[in-house]
């Protein structure tokens, strides 16, 4: 068992490791170093503190050094930064940031959990003091102080990943006008484009101005405002900007001490989370993990994996030999009234591999439709062909998303296939779900695809020459339809078979994919060649939502930022 364990970084991974280690070993000497003022603070809660949902700043502090010492007998040293690791002597060099005094500490085992830092590319003007990043409590304090002091009206958020979108929502909630600038053509770049489209529409409805496919070329600051120059030539005038264009692992200490850094730029660790030095372990945002689905090395900076890795390292220091099996990137995000969640890999990532996959879209209600308040969810499921191994899931909806993504994530972890999803017995009563839950439905549809019960086609594969029949009622068609589609309601289909060609493939569409499936069963058994468009018109809308997003009001929102303050 370890005698003297030093831990660098006192938040998600570091604090978890320290607490678990103490629970397993009452005798070990544990010292936790944190260069910031606080340990174990809720960095995930920072955007909500800025937005005012979390009113009491103290609630962000999950532990204090005093309480941690009392509960776990850990020597916590905040405002102490590690300057170097002298591996040959098994020592670290520390500076006490309060006194400026430098000192060294010996270790038997060392745990690195230094996290990641916001990316700050060398864009002209990036060091302007009206540009903020969000990493710790002091960053949130600075933004809050700035908003109060300058009575700000407009903010630009650069980067539309989850931190950027959370900041955009919370700044809007503070009453600011907010623009989001994103270099790629969608928000939440870890999701697939057609799913993100649903978020674009909603952000627009919430008066967020979106500049997609446009990067920042430079910032310029005057006494009273910040100008954000875009590569397209546009200039946005605002009070301040929040930079959230990703994070980079903090590997300086590791690199300088000669530890191996992986190809993705994170600290390389083995499956026991041991670095290239057997006496040094590393966890959290700073390490390269194995992508649970693809098996490749990846950087997946999330709190859950960091916490679990901290625990595993403590186990391993106590001789338990626990393997970290990889990170599947299960993530969830509130975007105003919507929730966006994903687990596993995306289709755009799969396209870069040679994995044979299929996908499906379903749009079920989060509980039975007859019980008041049912809300639609949009689910995309990716799976291998023909085995049905679950590769990834993306869900967007206003209710019930969190529960479904966790069931999918658990099924993936357990190595279940889409066939197994059909059998899951999930809790049901009208206010909560359906006898055939959305997860079961995804399994039924996937199994139907894989066993040939119906042939699937996707809207992005549709050609203008393809023959499409929309089997919805004519009143539904009047509210919007795929151009050129012939309308034959499913209930009339059996009487109108003579209108249909036998020499070409009939593509069937409906509202969400249920009626087109029934229609495909009728036609297939009558000898027609048919394909069902996955997810029906709801999926079609997801693919084409950007047209709505470019509507007049979206332009007006953007114009606000192009005028002086
Ligand atoms: P951290 O928790 O960042 O801790 C690293 C600590 O090490 C830092 O406090 C740092 O000061 C300290 N340190 C670094 N170098 C030294 C040194 N040389 N000496 C001493 N101390 C040092 N994840 C989710 O899963 N869900 C969310 O909703 C979510 N929201 C987030 C919102 C925000 C605004 C941010 C910033 C992150 C969010 N995350 C979220 C990510 C999550 O917080 C991180 O993945 C997680 O905290 C990583 O844990 P870690 O231990 O690796 O690093």
């Amino acid at each position: 068992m370890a005698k003297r364990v030093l831990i660098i970084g006192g938040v998600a991974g570091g604090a978890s490791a320290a607490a678990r280690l103490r629970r397993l070993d009452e005798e070990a000497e544990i010292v936790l170093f944190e260069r910031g003022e606080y340990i174990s603070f809720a960095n995930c809660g920072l955007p909500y503190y800025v937005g005012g949902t979390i009113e009491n700043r103290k609630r962000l502090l999950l532990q204090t050094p005093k309480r941690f010492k009392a509960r776990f007998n850990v020597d916590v040293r905040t405002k102490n930064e590690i300057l170097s690791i002298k591996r040959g002597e098994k020592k670290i060099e520390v500076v006490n940031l309060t006194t400026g005094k430098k000192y060294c500490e010996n270790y038997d085992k060392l745990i690195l959990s230094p996290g990641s830092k916001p990316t700050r590319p060398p864009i002209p003007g990036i060091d302007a003091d009206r540009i903020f990043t969000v990493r710790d409590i002091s960053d949130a304090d600075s933004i809050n102080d700035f908003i109060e002091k300058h009575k700000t009206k407009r903010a630009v958020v650069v980067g539309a990943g989850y931190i950027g979108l959370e900041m955009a929502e919370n700044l809007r909630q503070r009453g600011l006008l907010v623009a989001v600038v994103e270099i790629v053509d969608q928000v939440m770049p870890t999701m697939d484009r057609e799913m993100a489209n649903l978020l674009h529409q909603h952000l627009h409805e919430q008066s967020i101005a979106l500049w997609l496919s446009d990067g920042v070329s430079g910032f310029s600051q005057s006494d009273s405002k910040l100008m954000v120059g875009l590569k397209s030539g546009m200039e946005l005038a605002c009070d301040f900007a929040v930079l959230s264009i990703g994070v980079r692992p903090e590997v300086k200490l590791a690199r300088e001490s000669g530890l191996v850094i992986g190809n993705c730029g994170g600290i390389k660790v083995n499956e026991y989370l041991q670095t290239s030095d057997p006496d040094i372990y590393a966890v959290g945002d700073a390490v390269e993990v194995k992508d649970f689905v693809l098996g490749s090395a990846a950087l997946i900076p999330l709190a859950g994996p960091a916490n679990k890795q901290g625990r595993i390292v403590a186990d391993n220091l106590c001789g338990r030999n626990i393997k970290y099996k990889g990170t599947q990137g299960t993530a969830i995000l509130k975007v105003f009234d919507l929730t966006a969640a994903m687990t596993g890999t995306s289709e755009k990532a799969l396209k870069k591999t040679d994995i044979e996959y299929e996908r499906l879209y379903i749009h079920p209600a989060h509980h039975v439709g007859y019980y008041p308040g049912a809300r639609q969810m949009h689910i995309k499921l990716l799976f291998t062909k023909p085995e049905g191994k679950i590769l990834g899931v993306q869900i967007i909806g206003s209710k019930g998303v969190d529960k479904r993504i966790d069931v999918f994530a658990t099924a993936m972890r357990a190595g279940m296939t889409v066939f197994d999803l059909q059998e899951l017995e999930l809790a049901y009563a009208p206010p909560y779900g359906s006898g055939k839950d959305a997860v079961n439905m995804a399994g039924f549809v996937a199994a139907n695809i894989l066993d040939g019960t119906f042939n699937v086609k996707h809207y992005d594969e549709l050609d203008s020459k393809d023959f499409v029949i929309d089997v919805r009622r004519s009143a539904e068609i009047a509210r919007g339809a795929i151009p050129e589609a012939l309308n034959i309601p499913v209930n009339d289909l059996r009487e109108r078979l003579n209108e249909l060609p036998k020499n070409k493939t009939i593509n069937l569409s409906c509202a969400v994919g249920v009626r087109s499936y029934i229609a495909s069963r009728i036609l297939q058994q009558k000898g027609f060649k048919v394909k069902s468009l996955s997810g029906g018109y709801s999926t079609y809308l997801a693919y084409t939502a950007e047209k709505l997003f470019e509507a007049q009001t979206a332009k007006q929102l953007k114009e606000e930022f192009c005028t002086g303050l």
Side-chain angles (χ1 to χ4, degrees):
M1 209 152 314
K3 285 190 192 118
R4 189 159 210 261
V5 181
L6 306 186
I7 303 174
I8 305 177
V11 191
S16 294
R20 173 75 172 170
L21 195 54
R22 174 58 72 226
R23 287 194 294 268
L24 296 181
D25 184 353
E26 200 43 36
E27 305 307 321
E29 191 185 345
I30 309 169
V31 190
L32 182 68
F33 296 90
E34 169 54 55
R35 73 172 160 216
E37 208 176 332
Y38 308 105
I39 57 155
S40 211
F41 62 86
N43 30 17
C44 307
L46 297 176
Y48 302 96
Y49 175 55
V50 171
T53 304
I54 300 171
E55 290 176 22
N56 186 346
R57 188 175 179 280
K58 281 193 190 146
R59 297 195 74 95
L60 296 171
L61 304 171
L62 308 179
Q63 269 292 358
T64 62
K66 204 172 154 197
R67 279 190 308 194
F68 209 67
K69 168 81 182 162
R71 175 80 40 102
F72 297 108
N73 188 24
V74 169
D75 175 358
V76 178
R77 302 190 197 167
T78 52
K79 291 194 163 182
N80 275 258
E81 181 170 9
I82 312 313
L83 299 175
S84 64
I85 304 167
K86 300 176 190 310
R87 292 199 292 126
E89 301 158 63
K90 294 184 78 171
K91 264 186 192 165
I92 59 170
E93 188 192 5
V94 191
V95 58
N96 180 322
L97 296 171
T98 311
T99 61
K101 200 176 146 225
K102 290 185 184 169
Y103 61 100
C104 285
E105 291 287 355
N106 295 310
Y107 61 83
D108 293 311
K109 300 286 177 192
L110 180 65
I111 303 174
L112 308 179
S113 187
S116 53
K117 57 181 171 199
T119 310
R120 280 184 93 94
I123 299 172
I126 192 130
D127 293 324
D129 52 17
R130 285 175 179 261
I131 301 173
F132 299 89
T133 51
V134 198
R135 177 179 181 176
D136 56 30
I137 295 184
S138 67
D139 296 329
D141 287 340
S142 305
I143 295 173
N144 279 339
D145 292 348
F146 191 87
I147 292 173
E148 289 295 317
K149 186 173 164 205
H150 296 273
K151 306 278 173 258
T152 56
K153 295 192 191 77
R154 283 189 218 161
V156 170
V157 173
V158 184
Y162 70 88
I163 295 178
L165 292 186
E166 285 176 353
M167 285 306 295
E169 172 175 350
N170 280 288
L171 292 171
R172 186 82 198 97
Q173 189 160 316
R174 278 291 281 264
L176 275 80
L177 270 184
V178 181
V180 175
V181 177
E182 169 58 58
I183 197 161
V184 300
D185 63 353
Q186 64 169 91
V187 303
M188 284 301 283
T190 44
M191 296 189 107
D192 288 320
R193 176 76 206 281
E194 72 281 13
M195 300 302 283
N197 264 346
L198 299 164
L199 298 177
H200 299 162
Q201 181 65 17
H202 189 61
L203 286 164
H204 168 212
E205 285 160 7
Q206 301 296 328
S207 302
I208 300 286
L210 271 186
W211 266 269
L212 300 177
S213 308
D214 209 348
V216 173
S217 56
F219 297 95
S220 59
Q221 176 172 318
S222 69
D223 284 348
S224 60
K225 67 181 171 193
L226 179 74
M227 298 301 292
V228 183
L230 303 187
K231 290 192 172 139
S232 60
M234 297 292 300
E235 277 225 299
L236 314 185
C238 61
D239 294 294
F240 69 97
V242 176
L243 209 57
S244 52
I245 51 176
V247 293
R248 293 300 302 157
E250 285 243 17
V251 294
K252 189 167 173 278
L253 280 177
R255 177 175 281 128
E256 286 175 358
S257 66
L259 295 177
V260 174
I261 306 297
N263 291 338
C264 304
I267 302 170
K268 205 168 174 74
V269 288
N270 64 17
E271 51 197 349
Y272 300 100
L273 300 167
Q274 214 165 15
T275 66
S276 51
D277 180 331
D279 292 319
I280 304 181
Y281 290 73
V283 300
D285 288 4
V287 305
E288 271 184 23
V289 290
K290 184 174 87 175
D291 182 310
F292 184 76
V293 177
L294 302 177
S296 47
L299 297 172
I300 307 179
L302 288 168
N307 276 284
K308 289 175 197 93
Q309 290 162 15
R311 183 182 164 95
I312 288 176
V313 162
D315 283 351
N316 290 340
L317 288 185
C318 295
R320 295 195 172 194
N321 293 334
I322 308 288
K323 289 182 183 174
Y324 183 70
K325 294 177 188 145
T327 301
Q328 67 197 82
T330 307
I332 191 159
L333 165 75
K334 178 179 176 303
V335 186
F336 293 91
D337 300 332
L338 289 182
T339 302
M342 68 177 297
T343 186
T345 199
S346 62
E347 187 172 5
K348 66 179 122 176
L350 283 172
K351 280 183 177 159
K352 294 180 192 148
T353 71
D354 53 10
I355 297 172
E356 276 269 306
Y357 71 90
E358 185 50 277
R359 59 182 150 142
L360 65 82
Y361 302 87
I362 56 170
H363 309 273
H366 87 288
H367 63 50
V368 283
Y370 65 80
Y371 186 85
R375 294 282 180 274
Q376 194 176 35
M377 295 182 292
H378 305 279
I379 302 180
K380 177 175 184 177
L381 171 66
L382 296 152
F383 48 99
T384 58
K385 216 165 58 172
E387 306 84 359
K389 182 182 167 209
I390 306 166
L391 298 169
V393 182
Q394 296 166 43
I395 313 181
I396 292 180
S398 57
K399 287 190 175 168
V401 173
D402 52 345
K403 158 163 138 171
R404 272 54 183 225
I405 201 71
D406 281 345
V407 176
F408 281 117
T410 308
M412 278 182 77
R413 226 353 111 151
M416 289 183 180
T417 65
V418 294
F419 300 105
D420 299 315
L421 296 181
Q422 303 178 98
E423 292 173 25
L424 292 181
E425 188 183 318
L426 303 171
Y428 162 61
Y432 302 106
S434 307
K436 284 184 263 185
D437 188 81
V439 177
N440 300 131
M441 291 303 296
F444 297 146
V445 177
N448 279 341
I449 294 171
L450 290 178
D451 68 15
T453 306
F454 88 107
N455 298 321
V456 73
K457 182 156 176 153
H458 301 284
Y459 284 93
D460 54 347
E461 297 163 350
L462 205 57
D463 195 87
S464 58
K465 293 189 209 87
D466 283 335
F467 180 56
V468 181
I469 300 181
D470 193 326
V471 298
R472 291 177 297 162
R473 294 188 315 275
S474 52
E476 294 172 271
I477 304 284
R479 293 196 290 270
I482 304 167
E484 311 292 327
L486 177 71
N487 178 214
I488 304 181
V490 63
N491 294 355
D492 301 348
L493 204 54
R494 289 184 183 88
E495 282 73 50
R496 294 178 61 181
L497 295 179
N498 58 347
E499 294 175 38
L500 307 180
K502 280 225 158 146
N503 58 348
K504 60 178 166 185
T505 302
I506 300 169
N507 298 286
L508 294 159
S509 179
C510 64
V512 293
V514 177
R515 281 172 285 176
S516 65
Y517 165 52
I518 297 165
S520 83
R521 293 303 304 151
I522 297 171
L523 295 184
Q524 229 168 303
Q525 292 178 66
K526 295 287 179 191
F528 291 92
K529 281 186 279 180
V530 286
K531 290 200 169 179
S532 285
L533 287 159
S534 181
Y537 190 60
S538 293
T539 305
Y540 176 78
L541 279 180
Y543 272 102
T544 54
E546 60 202 299
K547 285 189 194 133
L548 300 169
F549 155 68
E550 276 304 327
Q552 192 55 32
T553 40
K555 289 198 182 116
Q556 279 165 5
L557 280 168
K558 286 177 159 187
E559 277 161 15
E560 288 273 357
F561 280 84
C562 301
T563 56
L565 272 168

